[in-house]
Amino acid sequence: MSLWRHIAGLWRRARAWLLRLVVASLSLGLFIALSAQIWASLQRLPPGCLEVNKVASRRVVDRKGRLLREVPTHAEGRARWTRLKDLSPHLLWATLTAEDRRFFRHHGVDWLAAARATGQNLRSLRVVSGASTLTMQLARLLDAQAQSGAQGGARNLLAGAGSAPATSRKSSHHRKARQVALAYRLERRLSKLQILEHYLNRAPYGSGTLGAEAAARRYFDKPAAQLSPAEAALLASLPKSPSGYNPFSGRRKRLLRRQRHILREMHKRGLLSTSVLRLALAERLDLNKIRYPFRAPHLVDHALALATPTKNATVIETTLALPLQREVERLARAQIAALKDQRVSNAAVLVVDNASGEVLAHVGSVDYSGPAGQVDGTRAKRQPGSALKPFTYALALERGMTPASLLADLPAFFGTEHGDYAPRNYDGVYHGPVRLRVALASSYNIPAIRVAQRVGVPRLLERLRALGFGSLTQNAKHYGLGLTLGNGEVTLEQLVAAYATLARGGRSLPLRRLRATTSASGTRHALPMRKSKPVIDARAAYLIAHILADPRARQPAFGRHGPLEVPFWAAVKTGTSKDFRDNFTVGFSRRVTVGVWVGNFDGSPMARVSGVTGAGPLWAKVITAARRYLGEEQPHDAMPRPAGLVETSICALSGALATSRCPASNEELFVDGSAPGEPCTFHQEVALEKKTGLRAGPGCARSQVEYQPFIVYPVRYRRWARRRKIPAPPTTYAPRCPAPARHEGTLLAGPAIEISFPTQGDIFHVDPDLRPDAQAMPLEANVRGAAVAEVRWMVDDALVAKSAYPYSASWRISRGKHRVVALLPDGSRSAVVTISVQ
């Protein structure tokens, strides 16, 4: 009995311990379950992870949608978000067959598949099967993409949806548990079709692609909607191990084995008929070894920078015309190759549509991958030489000058804060009296300086800044009169924008490189067009364009039929900087403006390559190509003439009204009311005695007199004319035919000194926007006979300046009426010139 009692006691104690163990186990299990539930409830999807723009790479396209560059996402993969309805059904079923056959029957985790995989792994004593559902894989992808965005790279992401990095077992189990928790959360948040769409757009397919659409274009050069069953099965094979099945690195056979396995499984499930299976297995797959383009690289870089604030943009539509861009690039390379022996290494070109300001072609350098090739020559600051002159002349035309205004191309010294400034022409020649039209078209320097002095450097600088030359940051004193000759640094982009302003009749419009952006969801946002604003008077802009398009006005300096003379209407100007370091040619037809820079990025000089020989030929070829692209077929389709302009016949030499004595006359354009009212006095018929060739006075018999034509230059040009050996009329009268009493002595005798500027009765205005002490007026005089040491300038009987030859000075103006006199050392004085400053 004692034995049974002992056994009964042991049983009771054992039963008590067993009960405690069961209670403890249940408590522990309940604790673990509750802890797991709390932990799972704390797992959150990464913020913003379901935003589609975060997985779509950026594509930069031209104005017709042609790809210029596709920029990988932060995960270093190219991707195009595509809706599920736009993917091939074969791809959907192939993916589900390969990755998750019970996708529509579980709620994020397939416990049946997990049990089966556990049994297989235990029997094999190694991992031979996984049980990650498609939803769990999506959870992993979302986590990985979020981490890649935070860390700036995600090479693990592209390793495969089913692979994992070699980390500790603990962290691996933790990740798997998190995938389970997030999978349940995804199933509650998204529908099955939404989960499938996210997976097919986020899964890695190798070769730098994310998503089925990018993969279809990468491997087969077609959209995913057009995939055949064989192609769909091949793509469905890749996400498991993109590197392990990479067809371009010796894994093609392995990939094809998996593809065939998927096709047969689809057949078993009734997703493919026998005939379709047979065709799919026999289909030959030619994989596309695509090279991703990087066209118009400088514009693409600029477009991406401009679109940076628009973070949701996945398609950036530029204004570029790719066919024209290719042609311009070819022409630029050919021109630089032709100039190689003249120490020229690079070029930059911009082509702009005048009406919209849209950039149609943008070449920043001839070789983006070459030395310094990533420097954008269209935005580099360079001295433009004479390319700024048209804007000086436009300002003068607005302030009363005309294309027929006579400018003195004579030796001159201009006083500046840095000392006297003595400009010279490019050809080293002084051309005497030159009409404004010829002075601008032939790009003479001295007349341009005279005009700049007349309009004022502060006013010119203000106008240039209004035109968009923001790089001119110094004050007017810093640049001085040399501003009109291009001593300030500007960019080709600024020059093209300013010349396009002339082409639009004086209305300024910023250059435009972006037309629209499209988000990953397919929403297109057209960027608004900016409104133009008037900067130059429309009549002045037209006159400048008319001058720059005049080959006859250009002929004295450039000749005829050179590279600037194209077989259609075009206004053009060149510019060459000091020491031939840079040269520009900028011009426009009615519809397009083209700017070209030629030089070296290191600033080294070229071998006497000017704007005509360097940039000019390239400009002519590019504007011809641009016109052809735009369909400008009419050669005389000129810029439309604004109202308020009239034509008048003028003397080609003096610019005054033409007379019968003028050997050449031109039809000139004038702002209504500004045409000359006096006839030409340069061309005169002078009465000479036949026997002596001297002047014939009124006492000569008509039979002893002959009339010969002469050019009678004003006093200031006579020394220049003598040096040019231009015949002048005799200055003395024949003894038998004396001069009238009032002409005793010599012909045209007058004071020994004559003020040529200002002239009697001139009225000047103080600019209210400028400091009065910064506004000066030029003083110019002509001395007859032998040269003198200096001329003294008196204003209101006070000495204001002394000047040596060519006797020019300046005086800071002040309001009121003033008397100007020029004095010679011997006491001779000019006639008094009275002016008014208001």
Side-chain angles (χ1 to χ4, degrees), residues 694-695 718 729-734 738-752 784-785:
L694 299 178
R695 296 237 349 156
R718 290 176 187 170
T731 60
T732 58
Y733 281 80
R742 68 179 184 275
H743 289 299
E744 289 295 336
T746 59
L747 175 67
L748 300 177
R784 290 171 50 84

Side-chain angles (χ1 to χ4, degrees), residues 201-536:
N201 279 287
R202 297 176 184 272
Y205 287 83
S207 297
T209 59
L210 293 176
E213 182 68 25
R217 295 179 184 273
R218 169 64 182 87
Y219 293 109
F220 302 114
D221 195 21
K222 62 169 64 173
Q226 299 175 10
L227 292 174
S228 68
E231 293 167 339
L234 186 137
L235 289 190
S237 305
L238 290 167
K240 182 177 181 181
S241 178
S243 59
Y245 292 109
N246 187 345
F248 302 121
S249 60
R251 306 291 203 282
R252 185 182 179 94
K253 290 183 178 180
R254 186 183 180 195
L255 174 63
L256 291 177
R257 283 197 300 270
R258 178 165 169 78
Q259 178 233 20
R260 291 171 181 272
H261 171 72
I262 292 174
L263 286 171
R264 293 189 178 98
E265 290 297 314
M266 292 174 69
H267 177 254
K268 288 181 182 178
R269 299 181 63 196
L271 299 173
L272 293 179
S273 66
T274 302
S275 60
V276 172
L277 174 64
R278 189 180 303 112
L279 291 173
L281 292 173
E283 183 177 342
R284 178 176 177 176
L285 299 177
D286 294 322
L287 299 182
N288 181 37
K289 293 185 177 180
I290 189 173
R291 292 185 64 184
Y292 293 105
F294 190 8
R295 305 181 180 107
H298 295 93
L299 180 134
V300 166
D301 289 345
H302 194 50
L304 287 169
L306 289 174
T308 296
T310 313
K311 296 182 179 180
N312 293 331
T314 58
V315 179
I316 301 168
E317 182 183 327
T318 69
T319 61
L320 192 87
L322 184 56
L324 179 61
Q325 173 75 17
R326 287 170 170 163
E327 178 67 6
V328 173
E329 289 176 351
R330 183 189 68 80
L331 292 171
R333 288 193 296 267
Q335 178 68 0
I336 295 307
L339 295 173
K340 183 178 180 181
D341 293 339
Q342 294 172 268
R343 301 198 298 272
V344 181
S345 63
N346 236 310
V349 185
L350 272 181
V351 181
V352 172
D353 178 78
N354 292 336
S356 63
E358 292 184 342
V359 175
L360 302 177
H362 178 151
V363 177
S365 67
V366 294
D367 183 6
Y368 186 80
S369 60
Q374 296 185 27
V375 174
D376 189 346
T378 71
R379 308 181 75 194
K381 295 178 183 178
R382 303 280 182 174
Q383 289 191 346
S386 298
L388 290 184
K389 287 177 182 174
F391 308 107
T392 304
Y393 283 95
L395 200 54
L397 291 175
E398 291 176 350
R399 301 181 70 81
M401 295 188 76
T402 75
S405 294
L406 212 58
L407 300 171
D409 189 6
L410 298 172
F413 291 87
F414 299 92
T416 70
E417 290 192 347
H418 307 291
D420 286 346
Y421 175 48
R424 292 180 64 87
N425 291 321
Y426 178 79
D427 58 7
V429 176
Y430 299 106
H431 304 92
V434 181
R435 287 180 291 120
L436 183 148
R437 173 178 290 272
V438 175
L440 171 56
S442 294
S443 198
Y444 295 149
N445 288 340
I446 296 172
I449 290 289
R450 293 187 187 278
V451 173
Q453 187 179 47
R454 179 163 179 165
V455 302
V457 176
R459 187 176 291 109
L460 174 59
L461 180 59
E462 181 184 13
R463 169 58 57 85
L464 292 174
R465 288 172 176 166
L467 284 164
F469 291 99
S471 58
L472 298 175
T473 57
Q474 302 295 328
N475 58 32
K477 290 182 180 180
H478 174 83
Y479 298 112
L481 292 170
L483 179 61
T484 190
L485 303 185
N487 67 359
E489 291 187 332
V490 302
T491 69
L492 179 63
E493 181 180 64
Q494 293 169 349
L495 279 170
V496 169
Y499 274 76
T501 297
L502 290 174
R504 283 188 291 270
R507 300 191 68 86
S508 177
L509 185 66
L511 298 189
R512 171 180 164 97
R513 289 179 172 84
L514 299 185
R515 301 186 88 188
T517 60
T518 303
S519 66
S521 62
T523 303
R524 186 177 184 272
H525 174 64
L527 301 180
M529 289 280 294
R530 297 181 67 176
K531 292 184 178 180
S532 63
K533 61 180 181 180
V535 176
I536 302 174

Side-chain angles (χ1 to χ4, degrees), residues 680-704:
C680 172
T681 59
F682 278 41
H683 297 97
Q684 299 182 19
E685 288 188 348
V686 179
L688 303 179
E689 185 193 36
K690 293 180 179 179
K691 185 176 180 179
T692 62
L694 299 178
R695 296 237 349 156
C700 282
R702 187 172 295 180
S703 62
Q704 297 175 342

